C-alpha cells in the first residue's frame, strides 16, 4: 500500500495563511508590536514547523495511531510532540538570534526570551503547549490522509478483483478445460470405440468427471488438494491416450499437502498449458511433473515441464493467457498478497510454475 505523499505546495500555502491569521489575531493584544514585526515572528514560527513536517510524518509512519495499545501509542506521541515543540522553539530562537546579530530591520523590538524569568517560563510553557497542539494536528491530518488513501486503494483493489474474477468466470470452461482438449478427447474416444471399447469407456468416465468438476467448480470455495490432484491425474490419463509415448507425466504430493485446501481445479489450467503449449509442438514430446508439499505455513504446488518454454510456443499453439489470468485472479481474490504464482524458465528448456498459498486443512 502506497503512503500518502507530502504536498509541499499545500504546506507552503498553509504556512503563509496561518502566518497571516495569527498575525492579525495577535495585533489586538495589549502592547503588541507593529504588524511587520508580528508578521516576521509568526512567519519564522510557522516556517520552523513547516521544516519539521517530514519528521512528524516519519513519526506517524513509525508509530501509527491506534497500534500497540491506547497507552503505548499515546505516550509515544506525547513524547514526540514535546520533542518537536522544543525543536521548534530552538529553531525559532536560533533564527531570531541570527537575525538580531545581523541587525535586520525591526529586530530591536523583538528581544530574546529570558527563559529563567517568570514571564519567560510562562511563555515557554505556553509555546510548548501550542507546539503539542500543532504536532497533534499535523499528525492527525497526515494519518487521515493515509487512511483515506488506503481506503481508496482497497476500494480500487476490490473493484479490480471483482472484475478479474468476473472475467475468470466468463472464461468458463476455457479457463479450466480448453475446447481443443475436449475436441481431441472426443476424437480419441471415437477412434478407440471400435479398437478398444474398454479404454474408450474409461476415457468417457474420466472426461465426464472432469466436465462435472469444471461445471460445478466455484472459484470462491476451497476443496482438498487431493481432489484437485485426482482430477489432474485423470486429465493426464486422457492426454496420454492421444500423445501415447510422447507424454510422460507424474503426480506426487506429501500426505500433509494432500490435506491442504485449494481452489478447485487450480492446477488444471497450468497443467493444460504445459501439455498443450509446452509439449504439443515437440515431435519427441516430453514430461510434465506435478508436485506438492508443505513448507511451514505455505502450501507449494509445482508444475514442471521440459517443453519449449514459457512464451516460446509456435503461433498455432500459443494461447490467450486466460488460464494463467484465471488462476492469478482467483488467488488474489481468495488470498490477496498471501498467495503467489511464479513462472520461470527451466534449464535447458521448459517451464516451472509454482503456486504458493496459505496452508490450511479446514
Amino acid at each position: 500500500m502506497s503512503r500518502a505523499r507530502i504536498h509541499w505546495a499545500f504546506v507552503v500555502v498553509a504556512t503563509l495563511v496561518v502566518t497571516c491569521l495569527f498575525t492579525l489575531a495577535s495585533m489586538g493584544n495589549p502592547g503588541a508590536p507593529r504588524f511587520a514585526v508580528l508578521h516576521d515572528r509568526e512567519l519564522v514560527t510557522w516556517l520552523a514547523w513547516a521544516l519539521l513536517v517530514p519528521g512528524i510524518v516519519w513519526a506517524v509512519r513509525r508509530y501509527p495511531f491506534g497500534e500497540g495499545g491506547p497507552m503505548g501509542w499515546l505516550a509515544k506521541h506525547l513524547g514526540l510532540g514535546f520533542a518537536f515543540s522544543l525543536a521548534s522553539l530552538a529553531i525559532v530562537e536560533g533564527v531570531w538570534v541570527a537575525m538580531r546579530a545581523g541587525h535586520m530591520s525591526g529586530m530591536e523590538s523583538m528581544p530574546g526570551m529570558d527563559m529563567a524569568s517568570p514571564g519567560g517560563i510562562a511563555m515557554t510553557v505556553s509555546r510548548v503547549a501550542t507546539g503539542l497542539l500543532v504536532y497533534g494536528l499535523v499528525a492527525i491530518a497526515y494519518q487521515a490522509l493515509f487512511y483515506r488513501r488506503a481506503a481508496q486503494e482497497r476500494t480500487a483493489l476490490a473493484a479490480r478483483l471483482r472484475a478479474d474474477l468476473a472475467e475468470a468466470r466468463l472464461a468458463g470452461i476455457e479457463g479450466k478445460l480448453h475446447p481443443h482438449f475436449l475436441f481431441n478427447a472426443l476424437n480419441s474416444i471415437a477412434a478407440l470405440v471400435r479398437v478398444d471399447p474398454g479404454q474408450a469407456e474409461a476415457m468417457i468416465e474420466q472426461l465426464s468427471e472432469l466436465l462435472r468438476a469444471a461445471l460445478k467448480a466455484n472459484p470462491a470455495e476451497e476443496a482438498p488438494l487431493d481432489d484437485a490432484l485426482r482430477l489432474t491425474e485423470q486429465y493426464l490419463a486422457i492426454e496420454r491416450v492421444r500423445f501415447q509415448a510422447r507424454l510422460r507425466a507424474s503426480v506426487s504430493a506429501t500426505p500433509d499437502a494432500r490435506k491442504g485446501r485449494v481452489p478447485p481445479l487450480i492446477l488444471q489450467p497450468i497443467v493444460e498449458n504445459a501439455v498443450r503449449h509446452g509439449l504439443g509442438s515437440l515431435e519427441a514430446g516430453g514430461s510434465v511433473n506435478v508436485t506438492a508439499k508443505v513448507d511451514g505455513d505455505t502450501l507449494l504446488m509445482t508444475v514442471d515441464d521440459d517443453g519449449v518454454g514459457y512464451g516460446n510456443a509456435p503461433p498455432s499453439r500459443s494461447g490467450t493467457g486466460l488460464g494463467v489470468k484465471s488462476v492469478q485472479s482467483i488467488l488474489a481474490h481468495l488470498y490477496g498478497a498471501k498467495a503467489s504464482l511464479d513462472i520461470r524458465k527451466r534449464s535447458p528448456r521448459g517451464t516451472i510454475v509454482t503456486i504458493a498459498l496459505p496452508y490450511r486443512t479446514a
Side-chain angles (χ1 to χ4, degrees), residues 46-324:
W46 293 106
L47 282 178
W49 278 108
L51 293 175
L52 293 173
V53 165
I56 298 175
V57 168
W58 173 87
V60 177
R61 289 175 177 172
R62 182 69 176 82
Y63 306 107
F65 292 164
E67 292 188 7
M71 298 306 297
W73 66 265
L74 183 59
K76 288 187 179 100
H77 281 287
L78 283 175
L80 287 166
F82 183 75
F84 277 102
S85 296
L86 293 181
S88 172
L89 289 178
I91 293 174
V92 172
E93 290 304 312
V95 171
W96 279 112
V97 169
M99 294 173 74
R100 282 196 303 272
H103 302 289
M104 296 187 68
S105 173
M107 293 304 104
E108 67 282 355
S109 59
M110 288 301 299
M113 182 172 57
D114 183 5
M115 294 187 182
S117 65
I121 294 175
M123 181 62 70
T124 301
V125 172
S126 174
R127 293 171 69 181
V128 169
T130 302
L132 284 170
L133 179 61
V134 173
Y135 171 86
L137 291 175
V138 174
I140 291 172
Y142 177 79
Q143 188 85 352
L145 288 174
F146 177 81
Y147 283 147
R148 178 174 176 271
R149 175 67 63 84
Q152 289 176 335
E153 291 186 356
R154 283 195 296 269
T155 301
L157 177 61
R160 187 164 63 250
L161 289 178
R162 285 194 297 270
D164 289 345
L165 190 57
E167 182 181 347
R169 286 172 174 169
L170 286 174
I173 300 237
E174 186 175 358
K176 301 167 186 175
L177 298 174
H178 199 280
H180 285 288
F181 161 72
L182 299 177
F183 297 146
N184 291 330
L186 291 174
N187 288 333
S188 298
I189 292 171
L192 286 171
V193 166
R194 295 179 180 177
V195 297
D196 193 342
Q199 189 174 11
E201 183 179 354
M203 283 189 66
I204 291 174
E205 292 177 356
Q206 292 167 335
L207 184 59
S208 296
E209 186 168 356
L210 277 175
L211 286 172
R212 282 196 299 270
L215 292 171
K216 290 169 56 179
N218 182 352
E221 296 179 356
E222 293 178 318
L225 175 61
D226 191 52
D227 293 349
L229 293 177
R230 181 168 50 82
L231 292 173
T232 298
E233 289 172 336
Q234 291 183 346
Y235 166 79
L236 290 172
I238 294 173
E239 290 290 44
R240 282 196 197 96
V241 174
R242 183 164 66 95
F243 282 88
Q244 298 295 325
R246 293 174 57 217
L247 175 61
R248 298 169 294 280
S250 66
V251 177
S252 63
T254 64
D256 287 342
R258 289 182 178 273
K259 298 176 184 177
R261 299 189 68 82
V262 300
L265 292 174
I266 192 68
L267 291 170
Q268 184 62 38
I270 307 301
V271 175
E272 189 169 342
N273 280 346
V275 173
R276 181 169 183 265
H277 306 307
L279 307 178
S281 61
L282 296 178
E283 185 176 348
S287 62
V288 176
N289 301 303
V290 181
T291 59
K293 65 178 182 178
V294 178
D295 184 7
D297 296 331
T298 304
L299 176 62
L300 296 174
M301 297 169 285
T302 302
V303 178
D304 182 346
D305 73 77
D306 56 2
V308 296
Y310 184 70
N312 295 330
S316 60
R317 291 189 177 271
S318 61
T320 60
L322 278 178
V324 172

